[in-house]
Each structure stands twice: as structure tokens, then as C-alpha cells.
Amino acid sequence: MQGTAIAQPNIALIKYWGKRDIERNLPAVGSISITLRELFTRMRVEFDEALDGDVLVVNDEPDQAMLPRLSACLDRVAGMDRPRAHITSHCNFPIAAGLASSASSFAALTVAGAAAAGKSIGVDRLASLAGGASGSAARSLLGGFVELSNTAQDIEVRSLCAAEDWPLSVVVAITETGPKPVGSTEAMEISRKTSPFFGRWVEQQVRDLDAARAAVAERDFVSLAAVAEHNCLKMHSVMWASRPPMVYWNAATMRCLQTVRGLQDDGVDVFFTIDAGPQVKAVCTPRYAGDVAAALRETPGVIDVMTSGLGDGARLEPDL
Ligand code: DP6
């Protein structure tokens, strides 16, 4: 009646922004991500017939905010008639600050929940369950480079390249630790309804996906850098042109972009990407990870820097 799983957050290089079916949480566009290795969420689910309601503890503190979404996801994994559960989560990075904590949480929850319910669920169904709760979570089920496709009738993920087959590094520059002002789910809908650029964003995604897929297949860092930076800035342009505008950046975010440009000018293999938050993720080849981390750490306004390699998908852990 219990299961423990670990999942890593993922960083999208070609972004998911917008939904085509809100009810089923189907994305309006495909996306491509990399799964990280050093950042993690460990989630334990234990069903308990004696409980009246689900209980969630995150990093040793009771948490009500996230509970309804986790409970609903667990209902879908284990069935509506399941016993109530103790859900315990440990996360080694800031939650809800644009670092994809929901991705690793829901990926870990579906895997742990299925084990606790004694069900053996394949990755296709897990993708639908995790992605139904949070689109990006489906990508954390797999490791390395992962594509979430938009053509399927359901949420589908596939691996483009294993972590060890193109070992890149990711340096995350934390510029703020509080939760973001508008969550991605709501922000995407505001963009879809009000941004004059939303239609063009959706139209152009196919060619960005093609370019990124080809770059991954060729291990072509320069081409991947170009399309990833373009796709990131395009997504933020969609947000900035929404009404109300959604600007997740702060002054330090911009300074980090300048730092990355400076490194590029010096011949360093690095590019940036930014999600729905003010943190900057710099993707580089491992030989430059130390230089990139040092440069970002010295950038005014950067609070902390975390470096990670690429890692594996969500998996069961022995119970502690
Ligand atoms: C900017 O997966 O958090 O990080 O499906 O509504 O839960 P919901 O959205 P979510 O959105 C992630 C948005 C993004 C880009 C990305 O990860 O692809």
C-alpha cells in the first residue's frame, strides 16, 4: 500500500505554451526538453484506510496549496474508490519559482501512486496521467532529450537521445526564490485568448521542433543553441504581448542573458533558456560548466547557482 519514486525536473528547449484541450490538458504545441540529474523530487505515497482525507507534507511542512491537484491526479492513477493517502514530498530546489517543480512532482506522484496501488502502468498511460495533471510532467517520465508530441490524441512522450549519449550541463542561475505571480496554467490561457502572437507561435512551432530534433540527432550544439534561444524569446514575446502582459523577468534575468552573450563572444559553447519565472538556465558542454557557473555567480542579482548534468526518467525507489 505504499510506493516511493524519484523524478527529476526537466527544462524545455522548445517550449510548451498553450493548450488545445483544457479539459484533458492537451498541449497546443509539441515540445522538447532535457531531464536534469542533480535536482530531484522524491515522493512517497502510502494509502491508509484510517484516514478521512489525503495529507500532504512537503519538505517536512504540511502543505494545503498543492494538495487538491495531487489528490485529483492520485484519483486518476489509483481509482476514485482508493483509500486516502499520506503523500510525502522532498524537493532539493525552490518550489514554484519557474524550475519545473510541478513536472518532477507529478511524474514522481504517478509512479509512486501506481506502485502504492499495486498497479503496473506503462509509460504511455503514465504520460497521460502525469501530463493530464501538468503537461511538462509527462516529459520527466523519461531521461535525456524528450519530445512531447502534439499530434497524438493523447499526451505522448518519446526519448530522442539518452542522457549519456549527449552529456550536456545545465547551470541554473536563481535570481528570486519566491513563488511566481501567475502560474503557467493561467498564464497560458491568458496568452491564448489575448496575445496577437499566439497563432503565429503555434504555427511556427513545427519548424522549431524539426530544427531541434535534427540538431539533437547530429549533436549539433550551435544549431540547438540558435533554435532554443529563438524559441524561448518567442514564447516570452507571446507573454509580453498578452493582456495583461506577463513579464516573468527581473533585472538580474536580463543581466544573466548579457553574461551568456559575453561567454558566447569568448567562444564558450553555451546558450540560455527561461521558463515562466525569473531564473536563467544556461545549457553548455560539460567542459565549460565551471566557467559558466562562475560567470553567472558573479552576475549582480544572482542569489545562487546550481549545476546539473542530464539524468534519467522517473523511477521507483526502495522504501526508506
Ligand atoms: C514555460 O507544464 O507547468 O515551463 O500543463 O498547465 O501544468 P500545465 O503547465 P506546465 O507549463 C510549463 C510551461 C513552461 C514551458 C515548458 O516546460 O515547456
Side-chain angles (χ1 to χ4, degrees), residues 12 16-17 19 25 69 134-136 139 184-185 188 275-276:
Y16 150 46
W17 195 252
K19 301 174 196 282
N25 206 34
R69 279 177 82 195
S134 184
S136 54
R139 297 187 311 236
S184 304
T185 310
M188 281 184 204
D275 292 299

Side-chain angles (χ1 to χ4, degrees), residues 10-19 25-27 30-33 69 98-100 102-103 106 130-139 180 183-186 188 235-236 239 248 274-277 281:
N10 67 78
I11 307 282
L13 304 183
I14 304 298
K15 308 289 188 188
Y16 150 46
W17 195 252
K19 301 174 196 282
N25 206 34
L26 298 180
S31 52
I32 292 176
S33 62
R69 279 177 82 195
L99 276 177
S102 66
F106 285 108
S134 184
S136 54
R139 297 187 311 236
K180 53 194 170 195
S184 304
T185 310
E186 189 188 344
M188 281 184 204
M235 177 184 75
H236 285 276
M239 297 177 188
Y248 286 103
I274 306 163
D275 292 299
K281 292 103 183 196

Side-chain angles (χ1 to χ4, degrees), residues 9 11 17 40 44 75 96 107 110 114 120-121 197 207 232 234 266 284 287 301 313:
I11 307 282
W17 195 252
F40 67 83
R44 184 175 190 273
D75 286 346
T110 51
S120 155
I121 304 181
F197 303 152
R207 77 176 190 219
C232 163
K234 199 160 51 179
D266 291 341
C284 60
R287 61 190 280 239

Side-chain angles (χ1 to χ4, degrees), residues 89-152:
S89 173
H90 275 101
C91 195
N92 72 341
F93 58 98
I95 293 172
L99 276 177
S101 58
S102 66
S104 49
S105 297
F106 285 108
L109 181 77
T110 51
V111 174
K119 293 188 173 188
S120 155
I121 304 181
V123 75
D124 289 351
R125 180 75 190 131
L126 286 174
S128 170
L129 292 164
S134 184
S136 54
R139 297 187 311 236
S140 278
L141 292 168
L142 301 178
F145 291 77
V146 180
E147 176 162 8
L148 188 153
S149 93
N150 173 46
T151 45

